Amino acid sequence: MQVDERLKAASETSVARTVPRRYAVSAALNLARPGRADQLGLGLALVFLVAVYAQIAPNFWTLSNLTTVLQQSVYVGVIAVGMTLVIIAGEIDVSVGSAAAFAGVVVALLLDSGLAWPLALAATILLGATIGAFAGVIRAVFLIPSFIVTLSLFSALRGMALLLTDAIPQAPTELRNSFFTFVGSGKIVELPVSVILLVALFAVFWFISTSTRFGTHVYAVGGNVNAARLAGIRVTRVRVTLFALTGGLAAVSGIVLAAVLGAGDPNVTQGLEFEVIAAVIVGGTSLYGGRGTMAGTMLGVLFIAVLGNGLVLLGIDPFANFVVRGLVVLVAVLVMSSTIRDRIRDRVRRLQHREQGAQRLSSTEEET
Amino acid sequence: MNSSAGIRHTLGAASVLMLVVLAACGDDDAAEDDAAESAGEAGGAEGSTVAIIAPFANPFQTDIRRGAEMVAEENGVEVIYLNYDADSEQEFSYVQDVINRDVDAVIYGANDAEVSLAGFRQIESAGIPIVCFDTCVVEEEQENLTEAFVTSDNTQLGTMAGDGAADWVNENVDGTAQLAFVTCNTQSVCRVRWDAQVEALDAADYEVVADQVAVESDRVLTTTEGILQANPDLDLIVTNGLPQTEGGVAAINRLNRDVVLFGMDMTSRIAQDLLEPDGPLQAAVGQDGPAIGQTMMELAIQVLEGEEPEQFLYEIPGTLYTRDDPDAVREFLETTSEE
């Protein structure tokens, strides 16, 4: 509450007035959060897609397949909850796909070296978070755009994964022990463990984004970094924490995938970063920062998973998947675009004015 | 603010120092390269530099590389190993690099028989001899542009896998079997295998209920899960590459389905799947990567020593590993170069 007041005051300062006022006010009052109309629209689109697939895709509407869709959304979803905050803060992380492959390889190698699985697990997630934090430090301290920093990691981490393994998937027998089998394929009351993990992470990140000071700071930094800084928010700390989170989450995603495959494969998750970003954008998060919700992201993750699953069930070439996903993202960005929204709003207003004018004219004519 | 600037300066100084150290290492490498070049010019293969341009990184390519490097080391040949990761733009960039580097010979695995032609022509025009491996350019240009071609007998590999699947159908399925292909058919070598598999499968009564291309094992996993969900009566899956085999097995296991799989390529992981009691994998055809690597490097050395290869095409046979012969699988596990 105190921060919100300071943000409001900051948006009135001369520095804040140098950036468009609507952004500063938006950051200060956190107006950008709701996006309920976007979520409703996406929710309806998802329901429509499910209804269509239930009619035309063989065995789509079966418990087994719907469970599979949820399982397939885990790799993207786990990272997407962190990526949502990163994008809301006006940043981007394109290294998550490589980071996931790297983590899968690291956990396999650690297990192969004889390290106990809880230690291997913790060390891999910690390493992922540390690498993410390193990217955050470079971004925040040297003020290098996050796209450039994470693009470097995108290449370096994939290379490291290949270098460590000689491109050979690492399949230690420990990766098939009861814990990893439980994570990869286990179920609790018919619900896959990996899906429960995703739901738990979603709940945690939903809480972070809506009910914590850190969540407010993330929106503020993404809405207007100058106003946020003037309000006393430690922008550097926020940025480093965000990249540490996506690094750690990418490691979790990589470990889950390695558990499913029974191997740490350095060649997997190519293009995962774009699937994650697509899910977040489709979910209504603005690439310009300051705007987005966890609920929207989860709908986006589900929408993209359902879209892909149905295409496979229909026997359509998986390459068509890429085309469809690309088009869906484009449409989503167009719908979210403030320019297009403003134009639609203007057109509606003009039509309303014209209608009102016509009504006034006809009533005057009637009177005369 | 001040502490932030301090950190920035410290990290900046560290980065500059690192660059200086790297540059110094680079100079050492350059000096060694010059020495190797002059040795190459002195005649014979010893001291020569051979560039290997490999299509991607996977266990089979690693086996090839190890075989080639072993022969190179024995003969005092320096190897520059490049992998373009199935990216044609990167492939042509490496072609330029090896020409500029003025290597003595190039061992080149094409991305595609048609697309890679330009790269082969550039190297040949620069007067550098080429031995191609795994995949070569279109047949009519092969002997004009290259000295020799070393590859697995991909038709034989496909036939072996197809025969295995056809026998299984004839022995285990009453009536028409439901079959799904999960392939790497974006690559020409995979298409050759697939053609042979389809031809061999003519001996069985089957219906193709799904035919999907998926390249990385995580994509294979999701694609195969979709196929399994869409086809509850599916009997078998046939694949023609390593990620397709690994991802396919993982999908069947995760959905706990009574479907069998006939795969391609052999790694310790695949061997473990074959030894798994009641596992879905029935057979996998292994390529002999080390033998391909050794043969191609021996041929490159022969060419550098001024000798003509005895023949143009060297087809290295593959081996069929099945769950019915666990001893052969265990022997593979003992001898594989994977660490």
Side-chain angles (χ1 to χ4, degrees), chain B residues 6-154:
Chain B
I7 296 171
R8 207 181 301 168
H9 287 142
T10 313
L11 287 175
S15 309
V16 170
L17 190 66
M18 210 154 41
L19 282 173
V20 170
V21 172
L22 283 173
C25 294
D27 284 349
D28 285 350
D29 288 347
E32 281 169 21
D33 291 348
D34 289 346
E37 259 175 45
S38 43
E41 282 158 13
E46 199 174 341
S48 315
T49 304
V50 174
I52 300 175
I53 302 179
F56 36 74
N58 68 12
F60 171 57
Q61 293 293 334
T62 302
D63 275 346
I64 292 177
R65 179 182 179 177
R66 286 176 180 170
E69 286 179 342
M70 194 183 78
V71 174
E73 200 180 329
E74 283 167 5
N75 289 275
V77 170
E78 188 196 353
V79 175
I80 297 173
Y81 187 85
L82 303 162
N83 147 40
Y84 55 82
D85 217 9
D87 176 352
S88 294
E89 190 191 336
Q90 185 64 62
E91 177 186 0
F92 293 127
S93 163
Y94 282 152
V95 164
Q96 285 301 323
D97 290 342
V98 299
I99 292 170
N100 294 339
R101 174 67 173 73
D102 196 20
V103 297
D104 298 294
V106 175
I107 300 175
Y108 191 164
N111 194 18
D112 185 272
E114 292 276 358
V115 179
S116 301
L117 254 178
F120 277 75
R121 283 190 178 128
Q122 282 183 40
I123 298 173
E124 198 259 348
S125 305
I128 301 171
I130 308 171
V131 172
C132 63
F133 77 102
D134 198 21
T135 304
C136 204
V137 289
V138 286
E139 218 168 316
E140 55 271 27
E141 289 289 342
Q142 282 176 3
E143 295 198 38
N144 295 336
L145 296 173
T146 69
E147 308 294 325
F149 177 23
V150 187
T151 183
S152 289
D153 186 343
N154 285 297

Side-chain angles (χ1 to χ4, degrees), chain A residues 15-66:
Chain A
V15 176
R17 275 197 293 273
T18 60
V19 293
R21 187 181 161 77
R22 62 188 171 118
Y23 291 136
V25 173
S26 154
L29 299 179
N30 223 351
L31 288 175
R33 254 189 209 181
R36 294 230 162 84
D38 296 340
Q39 286 164 36
L40 185 68
L42 182 58
L44 287 174
L46 182 59
V47 169
F48 176 73
L49 187 66
V50 168
V52 170
Y53 276 160
Q55 293 300 315
I56 62 169
N59 297 307
F60 174 81
W61 192 249
T62 59
L63 181 63
S64 172
N65 185 57
L66 295 177

